Each structure stands twice: as C-alpha cells, then as structure tokens.
C-alpha cells in the first residue's frame, strides 16, 4: 500500500519492529549505525547480561515446548544449564555463579506456573499494520487466561507476557508506557481476532508481575505514537539513502549522549558518547553479590538497558 509522502510523492508502508522505533527515540545516531550504515560498524564485545537474559528466555520457551508431563521445575533448571550462553563473563567462575543464580530464578518462576495451562503462543511472531506502518515483533508468551474451570467454553482474556531478567527494578508505569507491549497487544488482537488489552512484565529476579490493562483508546494512542515515530524514521531513512541532501548526517542522526552510552554497542564509533559515560566492562550489567536477591526498592542506578 502506498501513501502520499511529505512532498506529495507516494510513500511505501513503513515496515518496522518496536525495537527499531525505540532505538530511534533513544538515539538517532545509534539507530543509523544499527539499521542503515552498510557495512555496519563493528560492535563492542558481547554483554554478559544479554547472555544471561537469552539463556533464561530460551529455557522458558523450551520448557513450554516440552510435552506437558515433562514440564517440571527441575526440567526448567536443566534446560537453563544445557542452553547456558557463556559470552561476556569475566571468567568461568563468574559464569558458573550466574548460571546457578539463573537456574534458581527459572525454577522459582516455574514453580508459580501451571504446566497444564497451555499458552497460545511462545516466542510467537505477530504483526499488524495501519495505512502508514507495518509492525512485526516476537512476543515472549501469549496467554489465554481462561477461568480455572475452563470458563464454560468461553474464550479467556488474552495477555501479552514479557520476561525481564535485568537488575533494573520495574514499576507498573513501565508496563503502562511500554510502546512495544502496546504494539504486541494490538498485533496479538489482529492475529487472534479477539481483544487483547492486558500486558504484563514478569521480572524474574524479584518475582514481580507488573501488569497494565489498556483500553482501546490507550492502545490507539500508542499506535498513533508509533506512526509518528515511524514517519520520522522513514524521512531520515529516505534522506540517508538519497545521499543526505538537505542536511548533514549528524543533523539528522543526532547523538544523544548520556550515562547510558556506557552500554552502547557503538560507543567506540561515537566521540560524544565516548566522553559522556565511563566504559562498562562486559559483565558490569550483572547483579552483584549485594543485589543478587534484588528486592524491590534497591537502587537500579547504573543498570544497563532493560533486558
Ligand atoms: S554512544 Fe551514546 S550518543 Fe553515541 S550512538 Fe551510542 S547511545 Fe548514541
């Protein structure tokens, strides 16, 4: 489908993921380096907190894919151990310490799940579009919260579940304002042909569930917001591909330096980011011994981006 662009020219539907839109909002220069520069600039070394997050996500996805009778607490821990990703840790001892903690985290989380409640989707790709954008993304889990007695055959409530494994402490506001969660809910609604208004962040380190019940209006607002961001991205992409007539690269893809630059994969290519934040070691985003059992209320200062 084609729309009229800024100069009256036909404009193609802008295809994107929620991550792409968030990257533009966070830092247009990082967006350029992530999605437009070819060949892409080299990234820094892998982050241990990303390895930990991916190991946990994979274990939980694998657990739901097991036959129901095999979904025990111990098998969740075993899946975590078998699929443990080692990249980014300082040494074997640190990796082992965090593997043990991650096993406990996964087992504690699975303890609270009913293995018989089949999710509608696990790591399921969903997509939706408007006249302006085509959004796609992958949901950690899509639940059908039918009443425990089966709800008399009635369809249950659709719930988008997003696992979080970082030490960053979350609030209900994180669920309420999350653009990706709202877009996933809209995409799930389209794919399943049923309303989907509830979104949940499941923070494994603390066991907290941060939930938000959207309304059709609040989802609509988030969709309009996504379209506005996508329009900026589309214009910037077009200028980049057209050889940047009408503005220099840095005018359009401005850096947004700040403390978060310490966690940016492209910091080595960005002078402003390099002087804005201290460099982080690949394992600095892991919970330390002091906040290993990070309880609500602990400071999240210096935490890496949400994982
Ligand atoms: S280092 Fe900071 S300013 Fe530079 S690209 Fe990364 S996030 Fe943007």
């Amino acid at each position: 489908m084609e729309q009229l662009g800024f100069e009256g020219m036909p404009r193609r539907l802008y295809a994107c993921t929620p991550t792409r839109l968030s990257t533009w909002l966070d830092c247009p220069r990082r967006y350029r380096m992530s999605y437009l520069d070819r060949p892409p600039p080299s990234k820094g070394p892998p982050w241990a907190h990303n390895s930990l997050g991916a190991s946990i996500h994979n274990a939980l996805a694998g657990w739901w894919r097991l036959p129901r009778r095999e979904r025990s607490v111990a098998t969740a821990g075993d899946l975590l151990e078998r699929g443990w990703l080692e990249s980014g840790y300082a040494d074997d001892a640190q990796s082992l310490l965090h593997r043990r903690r991650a096993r406990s985290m996964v087992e504690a989380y699975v303890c609270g799940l009913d293995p018989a409640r089949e999710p509608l989707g696990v790591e399921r790709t969903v997509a939706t579009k408007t006249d302006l954008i085509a959004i796609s993304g992958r949901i950690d889990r899509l639940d059908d919260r039918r009443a425990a007695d089966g709800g008399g055959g009635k369809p249950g409530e659709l719930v988008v579940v997003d696992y979080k494994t970082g030490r960053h402490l979350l609030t209900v506001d994180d669920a309420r304002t999350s653009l990706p969660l709202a877009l996933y809910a809209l995409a799930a609604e389209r794919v399943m042909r049923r309303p989907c208004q509830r979104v949940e962040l499941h923070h494994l380190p603390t066991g907290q569930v941060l939930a938000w019940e959207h309304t059709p209006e609040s989802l609509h607002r988030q969709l309009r917001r996504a379209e506005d961001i996508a329009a900026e991205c589309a214009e910037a992409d077009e200028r980049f591909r057209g050889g940047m007539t009408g503005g220099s690269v840095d005018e359009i893809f401005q850096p947004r330096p700040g403390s978060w630059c310490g966690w940016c994969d492209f910091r080595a290519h960005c002078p402003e980011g390099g002087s804005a934040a201290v460099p982080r070691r690949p394992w600095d985003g892991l919970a330390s011994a002091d906040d290993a059992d990070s309880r609500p209320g602990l400071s999240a200062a210096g935490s890496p981006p949400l994982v």
Side-chain angles (χ1 to χ4, degrees), residues 17-228:
T17 61
T19 307
R20 184 172 179 132
L21 300 181
S22 302
T23 305
W24 171 263
L25 282 185
D26 290 345
C27 176
R29 179 179 285 172
R30 184 152 65 83
Y31 171 91
R32 191 200 81 217
M33 291 196 267
S34 302
Y35 296 106
L36 301 179
D37 283 348
R38 292 294 174 267
S42 55
K43 289 184 175 181
W47 300 100
H49 60 269
N50 284 346
S51 297
L52 181 132
S55 300
I56 291 175
H57 278 72
N58 292 343
L60 291 174
W63 189 78
W64 282 113
R65 290 189 187 113
L66 289 172
R68 201 173 295 185
R69 65 182 181 286
E70 291 177 28
R71 290 178 196 156
S72 67
V73 171
T75 55
D78 292 345
L79 283 170
L80 182 282
E81 302 257 1
R82 282 210 295 275
W84 183 246
L85 300 169
E86 301 268 1
S87 304
Y89 293 93
D91 51 34
D92 288 349
Q94 191 189 52
S95 173
L96 179 63
L97 174 72
H98 286 276
R99 197 174 83 209
R100 287 189 178 139
R101 284 183 186 166
R103 179 175 185 129
S104 307
M105 236 188 264
V106 164
E107 290 187 343
Y109 179 72
V110 162
C111 259
L113 299 177
D114 177 355
R117 285 211 159 191
E118 208 66 53
L120 282 176
V122 170
E123 294 199 342
R124 179 172 182 149
T125 298
V126 289
T128 190
K129 62 182 176 179
T130 69
D131 289 345
L132 300 173
I133 56 173
I135 292 262
S136 62
R138 206 166 57 174
I139 301 178
D140 287 343
R141 203 173 86 211
L142 183 63
D143 279 356
D144 180 357
R145 299 274 173 83
R146 217 169 276 257
D149 62 1
K154 286 194 207 134
E157 184 184 23
L158 285 187
V159 182
V160 171
V161 172
D162 194 38
Y163 304 131
K164 292 291 174 205
T165 59
R167 65 189 205 203
H168 186 94
L169 295 166
L170 303 169
T171 67
V172 168
D173 245 24
D174 290 308
R176 182 180 67 82
T177 59
S178 166
L179 180 67
L181 283 181
L183 296 176
Y184 292 148
L186 285 162
E189 190 167 301
R190 178 175 179 271
V191 171
M192 305 307 299
R193 297 169 195 274
R194 282 161 54 189
C196 178
Q197 295 177 350
R198 187 176 174 87
V199 295
E200 293 182 353
L201 294 170
H202 290 201
H203 188 236
L204 272 78
T206 58
Q208 279 190 303
V209 172
L210 294 311
W212 184 252
E213 198 81 41
H214 276 289
T215 61
E217 292 73 30
S218 66
L219 288 175
H220 187 77
R221 276 197 299 276
Q222 291 279 27
L223 192 57
R224 294 287 86 82
R225 187 176 155 220
E227 286 181 334
D228 290 346

Side-chain angles (χ1 to χ4, degrees), residues 14 20 23-24 28-41 232-242 244 249 252-253 266:
Y14 189 74
R20 184 172 179 132
T23 305
W24 171 263
R29 179 179 285 172
R30 184 152 65 83
Y31 171 91
R32 191 200 81 217
M33 291 196 267
S34 302
Y35 296 106
L36 301 179
D37 283 348
R38 292 294 174 267
E232 289 179 19
C233 295
E235 188 182 8
D237 290 9
E238 259 173 51
R239 285 176 147 193
F240 183 84
R241 294 197 180 105
M244 299 304 301
V249 171
I252 293 164
F253 299 96
F266 301 111

Side-chain angles (χ1 to χ4, degrees), residues 27 29-30 33 255-258 260-261 264 266-267 270 272-274:
C27 176
R29 179 179 285 172
R30 184 152 65 83
M33 291 196 267
R256 295 242 167 92
W260 47 86
C261 293
C264 177
F266 301 111
R267 186 174 176 277
C270 177
E272 291 87 344

